[in-house]
Amino acid sequence: MRVVLLGPPGAGKGTQAQRVADALSVSRVSSGDLFREHRERGTELGRLVGTYMDRGALVPDEVTIDMVMDWIDDPDRRRGFVLDGFPRTLAQAKALDGRLGRQEPIDTVLYMDVSVEELTRRLTGRLLCRECQTPYHESFSPPSREGECDHCGGDLYRRTDDMPEAVGRRIEVYKDQTEPLVAYYRARGNLVEIDGQGSMEQVADALIHALRQGGAAPTRQS
Ligand code: ADP
Ligand code: ADP
Ligand code: ZN
């Protein structure tokens, strides 16, 4: 089972990705998390992508495609995977289709839509764990202990690109470069639209339900 989570910044992809992956017993990856890990480690790739990310711009396609294809090439991914935040451009979607071929195509694209007002509220209050990248929200899903991750005890921080100026730019970039993927996948018949506006539990239920309807067989509901 190969699944893509598609949606604007702040739609809740990171919040839901692990649950969807657990339900399908597959691994998940966030291209944004991979880039942030490179930055934390101070790698060459991390230095290269930093300026794009802080501006709220997309990282160039070749760099992004190579990184995600490396992740997909791991033997563990033969069983399937959940992609969060990739593809984000038509070139990325075509590269992904080209790599997977006809035998192992993307089965379902879960498209989570949320209004711009709600996205802004979510992004400007988002906190992220520096160690495991679990997202929190200062009002909507605060950690049990302030500034500390419930899962790993890591430090919570606010992303530079979640500051109000960068948020507006990222939503524009999304509309311009990523939203065309909705039509692309709809035309291929594997797009399922989910109302991302509800509570985290409602959205999680809607996603799992959509996977069931789509003919997939989640192994458990968490
Ligand atoms: P969001 O919360 O907006 O979904 P991500 O953590 O997925 O943010 O991405 C953060 C930043 O990392 C993006 O603004 C962009 O600079 C870069 N990035 C992540 N995924 C991609 C991608 N598929 N293509 C290009 N850039 C990406
Ligand atoms: P994305 O990965 O799509 O950018 P996140 O999963 O990081 O989005 O969520 C963005 C912010 O919104 C986080 O602070 C998260 O805690 C919060 N959030 C996610 N889903 C919901 C929801 N259904 N209702 C309210 N807040 C949410
Ligand atoms: Zn953590």
Side-chain angles (χ1 to χ4, degrees), residues 88-123:
R88 246 178 167 94
T89 65
L90 274 174
Q92 292 176 16
K94 288 177 182 165
L96 179 63
D97 282 347
R99 173 63 68 100
L100 296 176
R102 292 231 178 100
Q103 281 75 42
E104 304 184 323
I106 295 296
D107 298 289
T108 307
V109 178
L110 298 168
Y111 167 46
M112 304 165 69
D113 203 13
V114 173
S115 72
V116 171
E117 296 70 38
E118 175 70 8
L119 294 175
T120 308
R121 274 194 291 274
R122 290 186 185 180
L123 291 171

Side-chain angles (χ1 to χ4, degrees), residues 161-176:
D161 57 344
D162 282 343
M163 304 298 170
E165 319 79 62
V167 162
R169 199 158 328 117
R170 281 160 65 211
I171 294 175
E172 272 172 41
V173 167
Y174 169 80
K175 295 227 179 272
D176 191 45

Side-chain angles (χ1 to χ4, degrees), residues 129-134 136 149-156:
C129 174
R130 204 175 284 286
E131 303 301 323
C132 73
Q133 310 229 32
T134 298
Y136 293 85
C149 177
D150 292 349
H151 302 290
C152 75
D155 250 7
L156 303 188

Side-chain angles (χ1 to χ4, degrees), residues 49-69:
V49 301
T51 52
Y52 295 98
M53 294 176 76
D54 289 342
R55 277 189 288 133
L58 293 183
V59 172
D61 280 332
E62 320 97 81
V63 177
T64 308
I65 290 167
D66 281 354
M67 181 183 70
V68 177
M69 293 309 157

